[in-house]
Amino acid sequence: MKVLHINQSDIMGGAAIAGYRLHQALLNSGVDSRLFVAETNLDDPRIREIPQKRRTQDLLRNISDPLGLNFVNIVSTFLMPQDPFFQEAEIVNFHNIHRGYFNYLALPQLTKNKPGVFVLHDMWTFTGHCVYSYDCDRWKIGCGQCPYPETYPSINRDNTHVEWRLKQWLYQQSNLSVVSPSRWLIEQVQQSPLLQNLPLHHIPHGIDTEAYQPLDPEMCRAALGIPTHKKVLMFVADLLQDYRKGSDLLLEALSQLPDSLKVDTILLTLGLGSESFWSSCGLASINMGVVRNDRLKSVIYSAADLFVFATRADIFGLVLQESMACGTPMISFKIGGVPDLVRPGITGYLAEPENSQDLCQGIIYLLEDNTLRQQMSQHCRDIALNEYSLDKQAQRYLEVYNKILGIAPKLS
């Protein structure tokens, strides 16, 4: 079987990481898997960069952007069927297609002669422009009168009802099946007039449980220069001050910690940002910067007592999955797909959305109960192995691919 993944990047960004892990899982299962991406970072013959007609597209953008219609200027997408990578594929697996390299108007053409599988990494597929709608439900009725025109991808003019209608028509003309990594997103799709008639499958993202595994905490802390007697909280975001990732909510929560606990605790962060941002909370902090290496990240997760994910909107949470595989208990808000991974009393603590005081109470509760954290650590690892291994992910996707292609399952 030959599968082609179309994505924003090979390894940069959450959707890219999820797509690359699926690519690796399929390769391990004997599938001829390839990546067709806007940005390449790896030197691999199975990965190819999508050619772009940038001059033409820049000119067309002068027309499309003022109209509030993102990405319809990308004419290169219509040329994809001429590429050998595309021609040789039996299934086209679409991932993140809203990063300025892909024209969604081409979906009917791209799926005319070969079926497509759309892996949802956010809500953009069924909204009038945004990737997360927060408290807005207008995507259920056709959008228009958008309350968040500035949210990514921002629009200069509110034509969200036009984009919504375009997507509705396109999906009716396309040969697509939809995959959601979380149960919450399944529920959203089922409420979407755009997608509710397409075949829908629930397949969680997979993770390499060999690369991400529990390591000796004291050795990891020694390697990172962290005092072994301290409690360690961990926070991760590509941009540490990203509003969606809730760094302001975490800062409020940390400020409310008892002084006695602050003295004994260090905040360990991964991502772009300044350590000075956290200075007002009275907690010592160490920023490791941007880390791409899976095994090094495993060392960092293993050094932490508790992973804090203060997100305002997420459909799954790859970093939660990484923390889980390393046996590090988690605390987050009861939002989006987070409860699939953060299971109260089992793998962590769920606070009420936007409630920094509840988040603070959860941090105190877990940091002060060593026995409970140890139990949660074992539950985290067991669940990662039993539910989220790459083998299980590949098996689930192969079942979907075979069904789409009309291949009968092999008898055991």
Side-chain angles (χ1 to χ4, degrees):
M1 183 181 294
K2 295 183 178 181
V3 178
L4 179 65
H5 303 272
I6 295 177
N7 210 346
Q8 68 193 59
S9 172
D10 45 8
I11 57 170
M12 300 294 284
I17 293 171
Y20 188 76
R21 288 174 181 170
L22 172 58
H23 166 67
Q24 290 293 322
L26 293 172
L27 287 176
N28 294 341
S29 297
V31 174
D32 184 352
S33 178
R34 301 180 184 183
L35 302 181
F36 206 20
V37 297
E39 173 193 342
T40 57
N41 298 275
L42 302 173
D43 184 12
D44 187 329
R46 293 184 176 275
I47 303 173
R48 179 177 170 88
E49 194 165 291
I50 300 170
Q52 298 287 340
K53 291 185 172 295
R54 301 191 187 281
R55 185 175 179 182
T56 302
Q57 290 168 180
D58 287 344
L59 291 172
L60 291 173
R61 187 175 180 179
N62 293 329
I63 301 172
S64 60
D65 276 14
L67 293 174
L69 297 175
N70 292 317
F71 317 130
V72 298
N73 62 307
I74 312 296
V75 295
S76 304
T77 310
F78 291 92
L79 302 178
M80 280 185 178
Q82 301 176 17
D83 193 282
F85 255 39
F86 190 94
Q87 293 173 350
E88 295 168 8
E90 294 175 86
I91 293 245
V92 182
N93 217 324
F94 300 97
H95 291 269
N96 187 342
I97 63 171
H98 57 69
R99 285 289 178 179
Y101 74 98
F102 188 96
N103 189 336
Y104 60 92
L105 298 179
L107 283 172
Q109 177 188 340
L110 298 182
T111 60
K112 182 179 180 180
N113 297 316
K114 54 190 68 183
V117 174
F118 215 144
V119 183
L120 305 187
H121 296 277
D122 48 49
M123 298 176 67
W124 176 86
T125 312
F126 52 92
T127 71
H129 92 96
C130 62
V131 294
Y132 290 101
S133 68
Y134 297 101
D135 58 348
C136 174
D137 285 338
R138 295 194 62 79
W139 53 270
K140 297 179 182 179
I141 59 172
C143 286
Q145 300 178 359
C146 179
Y148 302 120
E150 73 287 347
T151 192
Y152 174 84
S154 62
I155 48 176
N156 296 316
R157 179 177 177 182
D158 188 356
N159 265 329
T160 53
H161 64 292
V162 176
E163 181 173 320
W164 193 95
R165 290 293 183 187
L166 280 173
K167 288 178 179 176
Q168 184 180 45
W169 179 82
L170 289 167
Y171 299 151
Q172 292 171 353
Q173 310 304 313
S174 303
N175 182 7
L176 287 170
S177 297
V178 177
V179 171
S180 164
S182 71
R183 294 180 179 89
W184 172 82
L185 194 57
I186 286 278
E187 295 173 358
Q188 311 310 300
V189 171
Q190 290 171 338
Q191 298 176 63
S192 166
L194 277 65
L195 298 179
Q196 61 185 194
N197 293 322
L198 297 181
L200 177 60
H201 308 274
H202 173 223
I203 306 179
H205 295 316
I207 188 166
D208 186 342
T209 53
E210 291 297 320
Y212 290 91
Q213 60 176 294
L215 303 172
D216 183 85
E218 291 193 3
M219 291 182 62
C220 292
R221 291 184 185 188
L224 299 174
I226 299 173
T228 56
H229 65 280
K230 295 278 190 178
K231 300 287 188 184
V232 179
L233 294 175
M234 184 177 171
F235 176 68
V236 176
D238 286 340
L239 299 174
L240 291 174
Q241 277 78 63
D242 184 350
Y243 172 82
R244 183 171 68 86
K245 295 301 182 180
S247 56
D248 58 320
L249 296 172
L250 177 57
L251 186 63
E252 291 176 11
L254 297 178
S255 299
Q256 299 173 51
L257 292 175
D259 290 340
S260 57
L261 191 56
K262 290 181 181 180
V263 172
D264 292 331
T265 305
I266 287 180
L267 177 65
L268 181 62
T269 62
L270 286 182
L272 292 174
S274 172
E275 292 181 32
S276 62
F277 174 80
W278 309 101
S279 59
S280 63
C281 72
L283 209 67
S285 65
I286 300 174
N287 181 21
M288 302 297 297
V290 177
V291 177
R292 302 295 180 192
N293 183 275
D294 290 341
R295 296 193 181 277
L296 178 54
K297 285 201 287 184
S298 187
V299 171
I300 299 170
Y301 281 110
S302 296
D305 291 292
L306 180 63
F307 179 71
V308 186
F309 190 57
T311 186
R312 283 186 164 92
D314 258 280
I315 59 100
F316 190 70
L318 291 178
V319 290
L320 288 173
Q321 199 176 44
E322 292 170 356
S323 181
M324 173 181 279
C326 293
T328 303
M330 304 161 290
I331 177 170
S332 186
F333 291 116
K334 189 177 181 180
I335 200 85
V338 168
D340 282 12
L341 298 165
V342 183
R343 305 175 188 181
I346 301 174
T347 64
Y349 182 97
L350 279 179
E352 288 302 310
E354 297 284 335
N355 191 332
S356 60
Q357 184 176 1
D358 194 5
L359 190 69
C360 174
Q361 290 303 313
I363 293 172
I364 295 171
Y365 172 59
L366 291 184
L367 282 186
E368 292 185 343
D369 195 329
N370 295 335
T371 301
L372 179 59
R373 282 204 322 279
Q374 290 173 2
Q375 293 171 352
M376 287 182 170
S377 176
Q378 188 59 55
H379 292 321
C380 283
R381 181 61 180 174
D382 291 343
I383 291 172
L385 291 171
N386 294 329
E387 299 183 27
Y388 301 121
S389 69
L390 292 180
D391 288 344
K392 281 185 167 38
Q393 184 191 27
Q395 179 184 350
R396 290 162 177 157
Y397 269 93
L398 282 171
E399 290 172 358
V400 172
Y401 296 155
N402 287 333
K403 184 176 181 179
I404 292 172
L405 295 173
I407 301 173
K410 294 182 180 180
L411 298 176
S412 57

